[in-house]
Amino acid sequence: KAGLLLVDVSDPHQPQPVAQYPTGGEAHGVTLVGDVAYVAAGQAGLLLVDISNPLSPQSIASFDTPGSAWRVSVAGSLAAVADWEGGMRLVDVTIPHSPQEVCAIDSTASTRDVQLDGTLAVIADGEAGLRLFNVAEPNNPVEVTEFDSPDAAYGVEITGDRIYVADRLGGLFILGR
């Protein structure tokens, strides 16, 4: 079954599924903030799920994206969705029951991953490489720079002053900020 699976790992040698939340399609990525799971649910878009009771996850809201929601990152009241052919969608989640799109950044390839770190949004944009945006004003993001990875940027992670890029055939790149 497709969906968000909640697993009890109190005994790491015997993880036990405790609940499943159906996403209505695929579930490609999840980010947890407190008791809210932000689920990148493919054609179903972005789902916000209350997991305060892990035995009974409940829908908070959904936000339909034009593409296929692949990954999601959250910083403060801003969610960034890597929406494959739909580019990156910036969504205001200040009111979780009513997520609102603030801005969309088109892609010339396929937006596969995104990470937010403060006012920086880093996009793994497939064959277009890595793109970095200042999102201090989410309704008016400014592209800061880009990195043309050898093949296709599939994944990105930010840790401290480093940006890690997984490139499909090019391997792992570590960039300084």
Side-chain angles (χ1 to χ4, degrees):
K1 294 181 181 180
L4 176 66
L5 182 64
L6 285 80
V7 179
D8 178 354
V9 292
S10 56
D11 179 352
H13 300 289
Q14 294 185 348
Q16 296 295 317
V18 294
Q20 181 176 9
Y21 181 84
T23 58
E26 302 166 331
H28 292 288
V30 62
T31 294
L32 302 177
V33 178
D35 289 332
V36 178
Y38 295 82
V39 182
Q43 297 298 321
L46 174 65
L47 307 179
L48 282 69
V49 181
D50 179 349
I51 58 168
S52 59
N53 177 356
L55 299 176
S56 181
Q58 300 294 315
S59 173
I60 296 173
S62 63
F63 176 79
D64 189 19
T65 60
S68 181
W70 205 253
R71 296 284 187 265
V72 60
S73 180
V74 179
S77 61
L78 190 64
V81 180
D83 197 40
W84 204 263
E85 64 278 3
M88 180 180 71
R89 319 309 283 194
L90 292 176
V91 181
D92 182 344
V93 292
T94 303
I95 304 170
H97 293 283
S98 182
Q100 301 292 317
E101 184 168 273
V102 178
C103 183
I105 296 173
D106 290 332
S107 170
T108 58
S110 50
T111 305
R112 298 170 193 264
D113 198 0
V114 63
Q115 288 293 309
L116 288 175
D117 186 37
T119 60
L120 181 66
V122 182
I123 304 171
D125 209 10
E127 290 77 7
L130 193 72
R131 300 171 66 197
L132 286 76
F133 288 84
N134 180 325
V135 293
E137 295 180 30
N139 59 340
N140 188 31
V142 175
E143 189 160 9
V144 177
T145 192
E146 60 185 37
F147 170 73
D148 187 16
S149 61
D151 183 51
Y154 268 32
V156 62
E157 186 67 39
I158 303 171
T159 302
D161 63 348
R162 299 280 186 256
I163 299 172
Y164 297 81
V165 184
D167 183 83
R168 179 176 55 195
L169 298 177
L172 177 67
F173 292 87
I174 303 171
L175 308 174
R177 286 175 60 168

